[in-house]
Amino acid sequence: MIPKDAAIRLNPEDIPKKWYNLMADLPKKPDPPMNPRTGKPAGPEDLSPLFCDSILRQEVSLEKHIRIPEEVRENLIYLNRPAPLQRAYRLERYLKTPAKIYFKREDMSPLGSHKGNTALAQAYYNMKDGVENLTTETGAGQWGTALAMSCNLFGIGCTVFMVRGSYDQKPARKTVMNLYNATVHASPSDQTEYGRRVLKATPNTVGSLGIAISEACDMAIHQKNTKYALGSVLNHVMLHQTVIGLETIEQMKIGEIEPDCMIACAGGGSNFAGFAFPLIGEKIKGKTDCEFLAAESDAAPSMTSGKYKYDLGDTGGFTPELMMYTMGHDFIPSPVHAGGLRYHGMAPLVSAALDQGFMTARSYSQPDTFRAGKIFAETEGIIAAPESCHAIKAAIDKALEYKASKEEKTIVFCLSGHGLLDLNGYEKFLAGKLEESAV
Amino acid sequence: MIPKDAAIRLNPEDIPKKWYNLMADLPKKPDPPMNPRTGKPAGPEDLSPLFCDSILRQEVSLEKHIRIPEEVRENLIYLNRPAPLQRAYRLERYLKTPAKIYFKREDMSPLGSHKGNTALAQAYYNMKDGVENLTTETGAGQWGTALAMSCNLFGIGCTVFMVRGSYDQKPARKTVMNLYNATVHASPSDQTEYGRRVLKATPNTVGSLGIAISEACDMAIHQKNTKYALGSVLNHVMLHQTVIGLETIEQMKIGEIEPDCMIACAGGGSNFAGFAFPLIGEKIKGKTDCEFLAAESDAAPSMTSGKYKYDLGDTGGFTPELMMYTMGHDFIPSPVHAGGLRYHGMAPLVSAALDQGFMTARSYSQPDTFRAGKIFAETEGIIAAPESCHAIKAAIDKALEYKASKEEKTIVFCLSGHGLLDLNGYEKFLAGKLEESAV
């Protein structure tokens, strides 16, 4: 017999109709972004060169629920939403734990990760506001891929500045972006003044995410009808990702699942926020005592080793200062395969939730997380993204803690993406070559 | 509003309970396999060194429905079965066709293709019959990946002989197989007598599928408690794949879809058979006049340019002779990226269905199919496997024919897999480098 909770699926019409905004429920509102030049709170005039009006309104909204436009809902089907909630029976058996383990499957998007949830919304609002081109940066390429597909669906242009090191060594995601009709430049490039300056100073540089962000902003500011898109950190990105958690709540009702611990990986914070915020809202209201655990990389452990303070969002100083847990904007993380977890800071909303005691965080090493990913592939058959392996590692640790304390508790974690374009990381792990490079 | 037929999903309990066996309904039974040494029909004694009893019984079964063991059904969830049936609204709009286009999504398996449907069943039956190891060959690696995961789920060993050229140049799928605990040897290898002989004669060979099959058979015959597994061509493989078509029939009922043309790609024939056979059974009984179209590669056009005759299933002569459409067992196809469509023959059951007039076939060139894949990625957001691009190309051609004749007809095609591990083929296509190497 196939158990009822083996895989809880929803139908396309069950795609959420509203996003959830944690800002409305947080007892203490987070401190606002600051303009580093004036030392005053950043206003719309500081951000409008980069973002369209609809996005800026969402960025500062205090509304609890924001309607998802039908055009966005219809296109979320292309990301295979609603995504299944699945039970990890074989992983439970392998661990011999009394705990139940469920996971939400963001790996089933054709984009390979959860990034499309906000990319679609951002492309839509920019299209509605008359923007004709979006620029962005990408490291390994997951965010660039998501924005490329989304811009293509809504018929606007997309220019991606891809860190040169990745551009040269990992052509696969560049090909994906090209298939979605995006223009991809190796960064630093000769397309922007900022890029030309960097190229002149260091012609052989492999680039960095900081340089790529600066080029994307530079082009957005100077090119007609062009805006910039960011894949994490900001409030509107957290908002768009809440479809993950809202679906999960519906699925937990259907499966009569009461979570004791919900886990997601966190780099900039969008996967964790999207998965956990709707339930953290319940916790704020005292309706659940579920624990919320963010799993970060020890290569950039902003929440477990950083400071809660104002810091720049990027390396070059194009962005406002944000109140967040941060390693410092000039921090250089070691080059772990989980590229999505190498950000120096943490989303202001996630930082506020941590500061106000509604969640906890743990950090994990690269070899430990790949080991968890290997166990997951063996038991559940799915090859997880290196980022997602951090959530798996945290879930395994929790399940073993519940085993030691003989508690029949329920863990629900978010599988943020698949690892089919990160197999070289797994290959090195299997060959025993990751231990050496461990942090 | 999200249209009802945008994506028709089923629940895990809707996974079919029985496979469908076309053999029972074919008006004229196909001629049996022959032992090339005796010139007589091959009996169980010819095949039992390679296959376990349960598999051999299915291979010759005339039963119309064969029960799917619960242990197999439960594990089909790991392949994300039931797979959605989705409407290609954006592709329809792009083509400005009055035709409706639906596609069945075999690309959502973590294995990336439909191959797991039979791999799971074969691993299960071999485990039940006390077999401890399965051997097989693989070219690009989709079949090897599927068998590796399936053996791992049922706790038996898996040894894969991977064509050396692929082993060296495409390490990604080797890594996937290793993650599923399979042993992968570059073929020719020093693990078998046959391999050692080939290595001695041609030490620098890049290998071939024919050599790899021979090594897998050699090991199955000579190693204790070891059998061989084949990913296409044979009757039991076609049988196991019918979950695809059986689910599709249920989904078409829900969506009130009456197909006029059903399309799948065909190399060895398992994707086409799995998708189309249950409906071809209805056609034999006169219950539908749907057209069934197999899309093959012009690199190995067995159905459109081959002969219907007895021929060996492999290059080296380890297998019986099969009655099938074939280019000849020593035919060497050009090295197209659609590795799954490079087989010299066609499954005997598919060949019989073609010979008896229940289906048709068309062949397509590599550049034309990648062009279709590019359109599909742009419109539907999914990057299809090069094999699946043949079905897409056929569907596009049909949709344009219906446009020319102004017919509001319905096309349903099978998307056999995704192309995320075949991006180098797309990269060459985008760079204009495939035209030159076209057949």
Side-chain angles (χ1 to χ4, degrees):
Chain A
M1 275 297 295
I2 293 175
K4 280 232 158 141
D5 64 353
I8 302 169
R9 300 182 190 174
L10 298 171
N11 286 311
E13 58 265 28
D14 302 323
I15 290 174
K17 295 196 166 65
K18 293 172 180 175
W19 289 300
Y20 168 74
N21 185 6
L22 183 68
M23 187 71 92
D25 283 330
L26 268 183
K28 194 169 157 265
K29 301 303 166 212
D31 293 322
M34 301 290 273
N35 181 326
R37 283 169 293 280
T38 64
K40 289 181 185 162
E45 67 285 1
D46 293 314
L47 295 166
S48 61
L50 294 178
F51 301 103
C52 70
D53 289 349
S54 300
I55 292 291
L56 283 180
R57 271 196 301 276
Q58 290 191 341
E59 183 61 22
V60 298
S61 172
L62 295 173
E63 273 183 79
K64 186 163 171 173
H65 298 289
I66 295 179
R67 197 182 67 83
I68 307 179
E70 271 306 301
E71 297 91 326
V72 173
R73 287 185 74 232
E74 283 167 14
N75 280 291
L76 285 169
I77 295 175
Y78 289 97
L79 310 182
N80 297 322
R81 301 220 76 85
L85 180 69
Q86 195 161 320
R87 179 143 174 207
Y89 276 107
R90 292 178 56 97
L91 178 60
E92 292 172 18
R93 265 177 255 148
Y94 173 89
L95 299 172
K96 297 189 178 72
T97 176
K100 290 179 187 171
I101 306 175
Y102 295 88
F103 59 105
K104 176 71 170 172
R105 297 200 55 181
E106 294 300 308
D107 63 308
M108 288 174 77
S109 163
L111 303 171
S113 82
H114 70 294
K115 288 288 182 190
N117 299 328
T118 183
L120 265 186
Q122 293 190 47
Y124 169 77
Y125 285 117
N126 276 283
M127 177 273 289
K128 285 294 270 187
D129 285 2
V131 173
E132 287 170 5
N133 295 286
L134 279 176
T135 67
T136 199
E137 72 291 337
T138 202
Q142 279 182 319
W143 166 242
T145 297
L147 194 68
M149 177 193 172
S150 301
C151 287
N152 191 58
L153 284 175
F154 287 112
I156 62 177
C158 182
T159 303
V160 181
F161 291 90
M162 187 173 187
V163 176
R164 185 175 292 276
S166 297
Y167 184 95
D168 291 338
Q169 283 170 35
K170 299 180 181 178
R173 284 215 179 87
K174 175 181 59 183
T175 303
V176 174
M177 291 183 267
N178 289 148
L179 282 169
Y180 295 141
N181 292 323
T183 304
V184 186
H185 299 297
S187 168
S189 76
D190 60 2
Q191 301 289 312
T192 66
E193 202 194 307
Y194 184 82
R196 287 188 291 271
R197 219 184 317 152
V198 177
L199 272 181
K200 199 170 175 189
T202 52
N204 297 318
T205 178
V206 293
S208 74
L209 212 49
I211 296 168
I213 293 177
S214 303
E215 285 205 84
C217 290
D218 192 339
M219 180 176 274
I221 291 166
H222 294 104
Q223 186 175 284
K224 209 182 138 198
N225 276 342
T226 301
K227 298 288 178 191
Y228 168 70
L230 190 66
S232 193
V233 181
L234 297 180
N235 298 347
H236 66 277
V237 182
M238 307 297 124
L239 179 79
H240 301 154
Q241 289 293 357
T242 57
V243 291
I244 306 173
L246 292 164
E247 285 177 12
T248 304
I249 288 175
E250 287 310 305
Q251 289 162 316
M252 292 195 297
K253 278 183 198 159
I254 293 169
E256 298 176 11
I257 299 160
E258 296 206 7
D260 296 292
C261 183
M262 291 183 73
I263 299 169
C265 64
S270 78
N271 187 251
F272 177 83
F275 179 62
F277 277 7
L279 254 286
I280 288 182
E282 302 290 295
K283 182 163 183 158
I284 292 172
K285 286 175 258 164
K287 289 186 183 170
T288 176
D289 54 3
C290 179
E291 177 186 353
F292 298 94
L293 173 57
E296 62 181 9
S297 165
D298 66 3
S302 58
M303 289 183 286
T304 53
S305 306
K307 284 191 181 141
Y308 192 40
K309 63 172 190 180
Y310 271 108
D311 193 13
L312 287 168
D314 70 329
T315 317
F318 274 71
T319 66
E321 286 190 323
L322 304 169
M323 185 66 184
M324 61 181 177
Y325 281 92
T326 177
M327 304 299 291
H329 63 271
D330 48 5
F331 176 79
I332 299 181
S334 63
V336 291
H337 288 277
L341 306 188
R342 294 178 69 237
Y343 187 62
H344 67 274
M346 182 52 57
L349 274 175
V350 175
S351 295
L354 179 66
D355 181 56
Q356 295 175 37
F358 297 115
M359 56 174 284
T360 56
R362 296 184 186 181
S363 77
Y364 299 96
S365 76
Q366 176 158 275
D368 281 353
T369 53
F370 271 105
R371 204 167 290 122
K374 171 80 167 83
I375 292 169
F376 196 67
E378 285 174 10
T379 52
E380 298 297 322
I382 299 164
I383 297 173
E387 292 84 357
S388 318
C389 288
H390 290 68
I392 296 169
K393 168 64 179 159
I396 289 176
D397 280 5
K398 268 285 169 190
L400 294 177
E401 288 164 28
Y402 292 145
K403 181 183 177 181
S405 58
K406 293 181 180 149
E407 291 176 285
E408 291 184 23
K409 295 212 165 181
T410 298
I411 298 163
V412 186
F413 74 88
C414 188
L415 188 73
S416 62
H418 69 62
L420 291 181
L421 297 182
D422 303 284
L423 285 166
N424 61 333
Y426 278 100
E427 193 182 358
K428 282 184 202 152
F429 168 73
L430 291 174
K433 288 184 190 160
L434 282 192
E435 308 285 342
E436 309 150 25
S437 67
V439 190
Chain B
M1 275 297 295
I2 294 175
K4 280 231 158 139
D5 65 352
I8 302 170
R9 299 182 192 173
L10 299 171
N11 286 310
E13 59 266 28
D14 301 323
I15 290 173
K17 293 195 166 68
K18 292 171 182 176
W19 289 300
Y20 169 74
N21 186 5
L22 183 69
M23 187 71 92
D25 283 330
L26 269 183
K28 193 169 157 264
K29 301 303 166 212
D31 293 321
M34 301 291 273
N35 181 325
R37 283 169 294 279
T38 64
K40 288 180 186 164
E45 66 285 1
D46 293 314
L47 294 166
S48 60
L50 294 178
F51 300 104
C52 69
D53 289 349
S54 300
I55 292 290
L56 284 180
R57 271 197 300 277
Q58 291 191 340
E59 185 61 22
V60 297
S61 172
L62 294 174
E63 274 182 78
K64 186 164 171 174
H65 299 289
I66 295 179
R67 198 182 66 84
I68 306 179
E70 271 307 300
E71 296 91 326
V72 173
R73 288 185 74 232
E74 284 166 15
N75 281 290
L76 284 169
I77 295 176
Y78 289 96
L79 310 182
N80 297 322
R81 301 220 77 85
L85 179 69
Q86 195 160 321
R87 179 143 174 208
Y89 276 107
R90 292 178 56 96
L91 177 61
E92 291 172 17
R93 264 177 255 148
Y94 172 89
L95 298 172
K96 298 189 176 73
T97 175
K100 291 179 187 170
I101 306 174
Y102 295 87
F103 58 106
K104 176 72 170 170
R105 296 201 56 182
E106 295 300 307
D107 63 308
M108 288 174 76
S109 164
L111 303 171
S113 82
H114 70 295
K115 288 287 181 190
N117 299 328
T118 183
L120 265 186
Q122 292 190 47
Y124 168 77
Y125 285 117
N126 276 284
M127 178 273 289
K128 285 293 271 187
D129 285 2
V131 174
E132 288 169 4
N133 295 286
L134 279 176
T135 67
T136 199
E137 73 289 337
T138 202
Q142 280 183 320
W143 166 241
T145 298
L147 193 68
M149 177 192 172
S150 302
C151 287
N152 191 59
L153 283 175
F154 287 113
I156 62 176
C158 182
T159 303
V160 181
F161 291 90
M162 187 173 186
V163 176
R164 183 175 292 276
S166 297
Y167 184 96
D168 291 338
Q169 284 170 33
K170 299 181 180 178
R173 285 216 178 86
K174 174 181 60 183
T175 302
V176 175
M177 291 184 265
N178 288 149
L179 282 170
Y180 295 142
N181 292 321
T183 304
V184 185
H185 299 297
S187 168
S189 76
D190 59 3
Q191 301 289 313
T192 66
E193 201 194 308
Y194 184 83
R196 288 187 291 272
R197 219 184 315 152
V198 177
L199 272 181
K200 199 170 173 187
T202 52
N204 297 318
T205 178
V206 293
S208 74
L209 212 50
I211 296 169
I213 294 177
S214 303
E215 284 205 85
C217 291
D218 191 339
M219 180 175 274
I221 291 166
H222 293 104
Q223 186 175 283
K224 211 183 136 197
N225 277 341
T226 301
K227 298 288 178 191
Y228 168 72
L230 190 67
S232 193
V233 181
L234 298 181
N235 299 347
H236 66 275
V237 181
M238 307 297 124
L239 179 78
H240 300 154
Q241 290 292 357
T242 56
V243 290
I244 306 173
L246 292 164
E247 285 176 12
T248 304
I249 288 175
E250 287 310 307
Q251 289 163 315
M252 291 195 297
K253 277 183 200 160
I254 292 170
E256 297 176 11
I257 299 160
E258 297 205 6
D260 296 293
C261 182
M262 290 183 74
I263 298 169
C265 64
S270 78
N271 187 252
F272 178 84
F275 178 64
F277 277 6
L279 254 287
I280 290 183
E282 302 290 294
K283 183 164 183 157
I284 292 173
K285 286 175 260 165
K287 289 185 182 171
T288 176
D289 55 4
C290 179
E291 177 186 352
F292 298 94
L293 173 57
E296 61 181 10
S297 165
D298 66 3
S302 58
M303 290 183 286
T304 52
S305 305
K307 284 189 181 142
Y308 192 39
K309 63 172 190 180
Y310 271 107
D311 193 12
L312 287 167
D314 69 331
T315 317
F318 275 70
T319 65
E321 287 190 323
L322 304 169
M323 185 66 184
M324 60 182 177
Y325 281 92
T326 178
M327 304 298 292
H329 64 270
D330 48 5
F331 176 78
I332 298 182
S334 63
V336 290
H337 288 277
L341 305 189
R342 295 179 68 239
Y343 187 63
H344 66 273
M346 182 51 57
L349 274 174
V350 175
S351 296
L354 179 66
D355 181 56
Q356 295 175 38
F358 298 114
M359 56 175 284
T360 57
R362 295 185 187 181
S363 76
Y364 299 97
S365 76
Q366 176 157 274
D368 281 351
T369 53
F370 271 105
R371 204 166 290 121
K374 171 80 167 81
I375 292 169
F376 196 67
E378 285 173 11
T379 51
E380 298 297 322
I382 299 164
I383 297 172
E387 292 84 355
S388 317
C389 288
H390 290 69
I392 296 170
K393 169 63 179 160
I396 289 176
D397 281 6
K398 267 284 170 189
L400 294 176
E401 288 165 28
Y402 291 145
K403 181 183 176 180
S405 58
K406 294 182 180 150
E407 291 176 286
E408 291 183 23
K409 295 213 166 180
T410 298
I411 297 163
V412 185
F413 74 88
C414 188
L415 188 73
S416 63
H418 68 63
L420 292 180
L421 297 182
D422 303 285
L423 286 166
N424 62 332
Y426 278 101
E427 193 183 358
K428 281 185 204 152
F429 168 73
L430 290 174
K433 289 184 189 160
L434 282 192
E435 309 284 343
E436 310 150 23
S437 67
V439 189

